[in-house]
Amino acid sequence: MNLIERVVAISRRRSPWICRLNAGSCNGCDIEITPLLSPRYDAEQLGVELHGTPKHADIVLISGTLTLRSREAILDIYAQVPNPKAVVALGSCPASGNVFAGSPLVLSESLDSVVPVDVWVPGCPPRPQAILDGIARAARLLEDGATKSQLQNWQGRLS
Amino acid sequence: MAMLKTILGNLLRPSRTRAPADMPDVPTVYRGALAHDAARCTACGTCAFVCAPKAISFTQDPGVSVSWHFFIGQCSFCGLCAQNCPTQAISLDAEVPTGMNSAAGDGLRLESIVRLQPCTRCGAAHVPLPDAAIAALWGVEEAERGYCPDCRRWAASARLRSAFIPAAAEEVHHER
């Protein structure tokens, strides 16, 4: 790794921009993101900035139960995020469907079957500390080149 | 002058922004991750029954053990399991585990194994009652401590019979 690549890798960790994606959530997880950006938890000390468009983002925070309709939206938005990208799943819903599992239009499976997830943040809703920790983990993975999207691209280049 | 003092003070003082490692503590009554005490569990299944998202389940290894499974990725931290556990085997920690790198393992799934014990009378494998429950129900010095539920029922009915018909007590003891 030469110097420029090293600088690029470090800057990926030092300024991860996030994009929030609600896949059918009850808004609990999304409300917990708001204090994350407040002075008390201060995500911006990690260089985190919330952006509305996935085209500016490095990390996608996906919250909520996956539904048949949101599945396509997730795939669409995930494809719009430029590489390298990390996915953080917030709360219980993306992991299993939580209390909504088994409902007619709910995919009762983990988010991993739709897009590759790098960090799972447990909680219902997860606490702001836990979300911040999840973002910091994802940023570290981005620096190390260890997110699933980066690993897949690397494998794709080899073959 | 006062402004200069403030500026100087702010320059000398460390930053007041909290680092991620130095986050505010949560109150102890906050509902976080579940902890299961296998020594107190009677495998009655109440927690699995009251769990709305079905995060708790039991599996059996007949004659050997009963396993209590918990998937944190399906839990909504309502606390009904801890509230309804008759022996207080489940407790909710205030802390919640931090992020995980995979849904399959590393902390999202918990397993706790309750070993079966042979009955001291008939030898059938059963889930032993916790000491606290035995002490509360039958007193500390109890002869039927290691009995399985069937033998407990038999012993209770034998006691009842001998209370009504004192002569029957001898027969009952010879029966088995």
Side-chain angles (χ1 to χ4, degrees):
Chain A
M1 188 185 275
N2 62 35
L3 186 69
I4 294 173
E5 281 175 350
R6 183 80 202 122
V7 169
V8 167
I10 290 175
S11 38
R12 275 192 186 123
R13 171 170 60 85
R14 296 293 294 259
S15 78
W17 286 7
I18 59 173
C19 167
R20 191 180 58 74
L21 171 55
N22 180 338
S25 154
C26 68
N27 262 331
C29 299
D30 308 317
I31 286 170
E32 295 299 317
I33 294 173
T34 316
L36 187 67
L37 300 157
S38 73
R40 188 167 175 92
Y41 297 98
D42 196 19
E44 293 198 9
Q45 65 182 311
L46 300 178
V48 172
E49 215 170 291
L50 184 69
H51 276 260
T53 160
K55 290 184 179 175
H56 294 168
D58 299 300
I59 298 174
V60 198
L61 304 180
I62 300 184
S63 61
T65 315
L66 311 174
T67 61
L68 287 178
R69 296 188 73 167
S70 69
R71 186 179 178 279
E72 278 160 35
I74 292 169
L75 286 172
D76 186 12
I77 287 172
Y78 182 76
Q80 287 182 40
V81 180
N83 271 322
K85 50 198 167 189
V87 175
V88 178
L90 298 184
S92 294
C93 285
S96 64
N98 205 351
V99 280
F100 309 108
S103 302
L105 295 177
V106 167
L107 298 177
S108 308
E109 52 195 29
S110 90
L111 181 60
D112 242 349
S113 61
V114 183
V115 290
V117 180
D118 295 298
V119 180
W120 301 85
V121 182
C124 183
R127 296 181 192 153
Q129 287 108 309
I131 300 178
L132 198 53
D133 181 74
I135 293 173
R137 270 170 193 251
R140 234 171 290 135
L141 287 176
L142 275 175
E143 184 194 12
D144 299 340
T147 63
K148 285 182 182 166
S149 69
Q150 282 163 312
L151 292 174
Q152 275 168 6
N153 282 353
W154 175 242
Q155 282 160 0
R157 226 178 292 153
L158 276 181
S159 58
Chain B
M1 209 50 213
M3 189 178 75
L4 282 178
K5 228 177 183 177
T6 311
I7 290 172
L8 201 65
N10 283 348
L11 278 176
L12 295 176
R13 238 176 285 142
S15 163
R16 269 176 281 187
T17 306
R18 276 169 175 270
D22 176 35
M23 281 300 175
D25 289 330
V26 292
T28 49
V29 291
Y30 265 36
R31 297 189 297 250
L34 253 67
H36 181 255
D37 184 0
R40 306 185 79 162
C41 182
T42 60
C44 64
T46 309
C47 47
F49 179 74
V50 296
C51 184
K54 297 276 170 279
I56 300 175
S57 61
F58 282 92
T59 53
Q60 287 190 41
D61 187 0
V64 182
S65 62
V66 178
S67 298
W68 176 88
H69 297 274
F70 170 62
F71 179 31
I72 199 171
Q74 203 154 359
C75 181
S76 48
F77 303 94
C78 59
L80 274 179
C81 47
Q83 198 182 334
N84 284 291
C85 183
T87 54
Q88 283 90 44
I90 295 177
S91 53
L92 290 162
D93 297 337
E95 289 300 312
V96 87
T98 49
M100 328 244 170
N101 291 348
S102 73
D106 58 340
L108 274 169
R109 284 174 199 275
L110 296 181
E111 188 185 1
S112 174
I113 296 171
V114 184
R115 298 244 167 252
L116 301 186
Q117 275 179 12
C119 171
T120 50
R121 182 168 166 272
C122 67
H126 69 287
V127 179
L129 281 182
D131 288 341
I134 289 181
L137 291 173
W138 291 287
V140 184
E141 296 297 322
E142 200 244 336
E144 297 142 15
R145 184 167 278 261
Y147 277 22
C148 67
D150 281 345
C151 292
R152 263 175 207 290
R153 222 167 289 136
W154 171 82
S157 61
R159 265 202 306 276
L160 199 63
R161 231 181 308 169
S162 63
F164 282 111
I165 318 163
E170 301 271 314
E171 287 171 36
V172 166
H173 280 293
H174 290 301
E175 207 172 277
R176 291 204 191 186

